[in-house]
Amino acid sequence: MGRNSFMFGNKGMKQGMLLVCVMADGQALQLVRHACQLQQARAGSWRVLHLDTVSARYASQAVKRDLEQALQLAHVEGAQIVHSNLNLNASGHLMAQIVQQAQGAMVSDVLLGDQATGTVYWPGSGERLSDFTALLGASLPSAQVHVLVAQPRQIRSSGQGAGWTSRPPTIRSWRYWSLPLAILLVCTALGALIADHLHPINLILIYLVGVLYVALQRDLVASVLTVLCAILIFDWIFVEPRWSLKPADPEYFFTFAIALCVGLAVSRLATRARAAAATALALADRAQSLSLMAQSLSTARTPDEIERTLLHAVERGVGAKGRLTLGAVMAPEAPLHPVLPAPDGTYRFGLDATHGPLGVLHVEQLPAERQTAEDLHFLQALSNQAAIALDRCNADLRSQQAAIQAETERVRNTLLAGISHDFRTPLTTIIGAATTVLTQGRQITPEQHEALLRNLLDQAQRLQSLTSDLLDLARLQDGAVRPECEWCPVGELVRDALALVHGGSEAGRVDVLANEDDIVWCDPRLITQAMSNLLINAVQHSPPQGRIGVEVRLGPDDWALSVRDQGLGLLPGQEVEVFRKFHRDASAGSTSGTGLGLAICEVVARLHGGQVSARSDGGAVFELRIPWPANEPRPLDLSE
């Protein structure tokens, strides 16, 4: 699949999101119209990215109207419009914005314009955003980049892997020599027009200007040959005697020498300037790659994501394959910044962090033109960025582990504190009662003896209840218990739950508002335990003569069980706190509970796919809601 694909219509377009990049360049409306045509024949959404650069401030009114109409048309056609305000004339920021939008929205096609913007976005690469399709295509390997030419209105191809500018002609091609030949002809024609008005020596300056232009467009060979040909043509045509190479005035030999020296110096300086521009462009390319990689690493959260980002940056930056070995350490003889590859032809770069080495980057089959010191430093810079990201990832992992350990320690301390308190009180009472009976058995009355034995039995039962609740809660939370749901009559559930509350002695205080023949979906054993816990909690927090209400309601999506008491209600903010393990309401003045009953109710509701809630309404109201099953047909009520 080509990275930079340029075609007319929607041929070759994928079925993902289309990203259209518009700016104040006079071509925005044409781009949006073409995108509308493409959307009529393709599936998927599309987005318009408005790149608001500094050059937009100096655009003409016609260009501004074109951009405004384009954004209005995109809005009417249902496109997502994203505005990006850039206060810099730097293509790196433009490319970063486009790449960020494309990666965040899973874009499959990017549409750019080819109209001149009036602002140089990259040194030596013209004034068109489309000059950077190679970089954009490399940054988005899963997307295709399309360029719409302003005139004529069609899509042209730049070819896969195109560079920053068009490829320069070779020395053996006709295009290479056509420019020097054309420059010599133009200079000769211009000299012929003004030869009658100037001294012939002045005409040599015209040729020097032409030599400068050739030096800027071609290499040193073309400029030197142009200088020599210019001197020969000048001597042959404009120096007396004309049409010969033997000047009558010997001073012309001095002129020829000066012209040759100046031409060679200009050619040399121009060649150095071109080399410096190419070096600056390569540096900018590497800086752009580092910037894009840093942006990608900022969102990477796992070592696998960091590895994919690093290897993609290596392939994009130097055109070589790489592999990352995490946890490996470079050999002591391996240099940190290698200049020579290993015997197997592989370059290795260490990923070092503050806590030690994290791994080694292996770059294989590095192209010969990329085996320069600058490219090797570039690969080491990529490795350093990956090392920082891996170090951050490891730090996050250590932080999460520390948080888990702290939470585990907190839960363990809470559990130990709750168990120690709830076990110590009844054990102390049991020991005291048993000691009294053993040491003063003959000195106490039969009534006192019976009271001590009853107290001892109550505390033993309390210990048994606490142990049973702890075991039940542990089994429920560990997943050892799975609900075995069935259709159950409401009357049986309520009667079984009342029987568990103090042996049914509190049944006279309970008002049941439910149809005994209603059928509900639940695990009867778990729901009975949860209902009994809610009733015990209501008895403990109600006055001695207070009434307790139990209501069962059947809804279209679920059924609800609510238990209401006539106590003091819940304090503000306790609606969630009451379901924590070992939580007790200090204002109720009751210490007989284990603090685990409501926590068990919360786990039972969660196992049924439902939820339990608490609120105050003249007292405390606890409501358990269980959804109806999706694949179990609901039977007819027995009352029908």
Side-chain angles (χ1 to χ4, degrees):
M1 180 185 64
R3 290 178 178 173
N4 299 325
S5 177
F6 304 81
M7 65 286 294
F8 181 75
N10 67 331
K11 180 181 178 182
M13 300 289 282
K14 299 181 181 180
Q15 298 304 312
M17 174 173 280
L18 170 64
L19 179 64
V20 184
C21 304
V22 299
M23 53 199 308
D25 57 1
Q27 200 183 359
L29 184 57
Q30 181 185 357
L31 283 168
V32 173
R33 286 175 177 172
H34 188 79
C36 293
Q37 296 176 1
L38 296 178
Q39 284 299 114
Q40 296 176 359
R42 67 188 299 274
S45 59
W46 63 302
R47 174 179 296 180
V48 175
L49 175 61
H50 172 213
L51 300 169
D52 187 9
T53 62
V54 175
S55 61
R57 306 173 186 174
Y58 310 102
S60 63
Q61 293 298 325
V63 171
K64 293 182 179 179
R65 284 195 302 269
D66 177 87
L67 178 61
E68 182 179 356
Q69 294 174 3
L71 296 178
Q72 291 178 353
L73 177 60
H75 177 72
V76 172
E77 294 295 332
Q80 303 176 18
I81 300 178
V82 179
H83 299 276
S84 178
N85 296 321
L86 300 175
N87 294 323
L88 297 174
N89 284 335
S91 68
H93 295 79
L94 295 175
M95 292 298 105
Q97 288 293 324
I98 297 175
V99 171
Q100 181 179 4
Q101 288 294 326
Q103 291 178 344
M106 302 300 292
V107 169
S108 62
D109 296 276
V110 180
L111 182 60
L112 304 172
D114 194 41
Q115 184 73 349
T117 62
T119 302
V120 177
Y121 290 100
W122 197 266
S125 294
E127 300 178 348
R128 289 179 170 84
L129 189 63
S130 60
D131 291 331
F132 315 109
T133 53
L135 175 62
L136 189 58
S139 303
L140 301 172
S142 60
Q144 290 184 341
V145 182
H146 309 267
V147 175
L148 182 65
V149 181
Q151 294 295 335
R153 296 195 175 189
Q154 60 182 6
I155 302 294
R156 65 171 175 86
S157 174
S158 68
Q160 181 177 354
W164 293 103
T165 58
S166 60
R167 179 171 303 194
T170 61
I171 194 172
R172 296 183 179 181
S173 65
W174 168 251
R175 284 184 55 206
Y176 181 86
W177 297 108
S178 61
L179 179 62
L181 180 60
I183 291 297
L184 291 173
L185 292 176
V186 171
C187 292
T188 302
L190 183 59
L193 291 176
I194 63 177
D196 297 334
H197 306 283
L198 295 176
H199 191 277
I201 294 180
N202 297 324
L203 301 181
I204 195 64
L205 300 177
I206 299 177
Y207 286 97
L208 290 179
V209 174
V211 170
L212 176 61
Y213 183 79
V214 173
L216 292 174
Q217 299 298 322
R218 294 292 187 263
D219 55 13
L220 184 60
V221 175
S223 59
V224 170
L225 291 178
T226 304
V227 170
L228 295 177
C229 293
I231 293 174
L232 293 176
I233 293 174
F234 173 73
D235 184 20
W236 190 52
I237 297 178
F238 299 104
V239 177
E240 296 292 340
R242 304 178 65 181
W243 316 115
S244 69
L245 297 178
K246 297 179 180 180
D249 191 349
E251 293 181 357
Y252 280 106
F253 289 103
F254 180 75
T255 302
F256 296 158
I258 295 299
L260 179 61
C261 294
V262 172
L264 293 177
V266 168
S267 301
R268 184 62 177 173
L269 292 175
T271 303
R272 289 185 177 180
R274 285 172 55 85
T279 302
L281 187 59
L283 291 175
D285 187 15
R286 287 191 284 268
Q288 177 69 12
S289 298
L290 290 173
S291 176
L292 292 176
M293 180 179 175
Q295 182 179 0
S296 300
L297 288 177
S298 64
T299 59
R301 292 293 179 265
T302 63
D304 291 338
E305 294 178 356
I306 296 173
E307 180 179 2
R308 287 195 300 267
T309 301
L310 174 61
L311 298 184
H312 176 65
V314 170
E315 183 178 3
R316 180 184 60 209
V318 297
K321 297 292 184 180
R323 56 185 177 88
L324 182 62
T325 305
L326 295 179
V329 181
M330 293 185 61
E333 63 274 8
L336 184 60
H337 299 285
V339 179
L340 296 176
D344 57 356
T346 301
Y347 287 85
R348 292 177 174 86
F349 304 88
L351 277 70
D352 298 327
T354 55
H355 298 282
L358 301 177
V360 178
L361 171 64
H362 307 265
V363 180
E364 303 170 350
Q365 299 179 357
L366 187 64
E369 64 274 10
R370 290 292 190 176
Q371 297 179 7
T372 62
E374 291 78 9
D375 288 315
L376 296 180
H377 283 286
F378 167 69
L379 290 173
Q380 185 62 56
L382 294 179
S383 303
N384 294 339
Q385 282 195 352
I388 294 174
L390 286 173
D391 197 20
R392 183 201 65 214
C393 182
N394 293 336
D396 293 342
L397 181 60
R398 290 192 296 268
S399 177
Q400 293 175 3
Q401 292 175 348
I404 293 175
Q405 292 177 355
E407 179 64 17
T408 303
E409 185 69 16
R410 188 191 67 80
V411 172
R412 186 180 69 85
N413 292 336
T414 302
L415 181 62
L416 289 177
I419 291 177
S420 61
H421 177 272
D422 288 308
F423 273 79
R424 183 169 56 245
T425 301
L427 283 175
T428 301
T429 304
I430 291 173
I431 293 173
T435 302
T436 302
V437 171
L438 290 175
T439 58
Q440 303 180 15
R442 297 181 180 182
Q443 301 177 8
I444 59 177
T445 64
E447 293 78 8
Q448 293 175 333
H449 187 272
E450 182 179 359
L452 288 173
L453 291 179
R454 289 185 178 279
N455 190 18
L456 190 149
L457 178 61
D458 290 341
Q459 297 301 323
Q461 290 177 342
R462 181 180 177 185
L463 278 178
Q464 182 187 21
S465 176
L466 176 61
T467 304
S468 177
D469 287 346
L470 280 173
L471 293 176
D472 290 341
L473 184 61
R475 292 171 63 244
L476 291 173
Q477 289 184 330
D478 291 343
V481 177
R482 295 184 178 275
E484 299 177 358
C485 297
E486 59 185 49
W487 294 104
C488 305
V490 171
E492 293 184 6
L493 295 175
V494 175
R495 285 192 293 270
D496 292 344
L498 289 174
L500 295 177
V501 181
H502 302 297
S505 61
E506 302 292 341
R509 300 175 55 187
V510 179
D511 299 326
V512 179
L513 182 59
N515 186 356
E516 292 190 359
D517 296 331
D518 285 343
I519 305 297
V520 296
W521 177 261
C522 66
D523 184 322
R525 181 174 55 87
L526 296 179
I527 291 299
T528 300
Q529 182 180 12
M531 190 184 307
S532 64
N533 288 346
L534 293 177
L535 289 171
I536 293 173
N537 180 76
V539 170
Q540 293 174 350
H541 292 82
S542 294
Q545 303 302 324
R547 305 297 297 177
I548 299 172
V550 176
E551 181 180 4
V552 178
R553 301 186 307 275
L554 276 60
D557 300 323
D558 56 14
W559 67 275
L561 165 68
S562 61
V563 177
R564 179 190 300 268
D565 61 43
Q566 293 183 343
L568 299 177
L570 301 175
L571 296 176
Q574 281 191 330
E575 291 81 1
V576 178
E577 192 74 11
V578 292
F579 296 104
R580 287 183 53 212
K581 295 186 290 291
F582 301 109
H583 174 79
R584 291 186 180 87
D585 185 4
S587 62
S590 175
T591 59
S592 59
T594 63
L596 297 175
L598 296 181
I600 293 176
C601 294
E602 193 272 335
V603 177
V604 169
R606 185 157 28 91
L607 290 175
H608 282 80
Q611 59 182 0
V612 63
S613 60
R615 68 180 189 275
S616 293
D617 186 9
V621 180
F622 293 87
E623 186 174 71
L624 180 70
R625 306 187 72 92
I626 306 297
W628 298 116
N631 300 321
E632 290 289 338
R634 183 176 174 182
L636 296 176
D637 294 342
L638 298 179
S639 60
E640 299 180 357

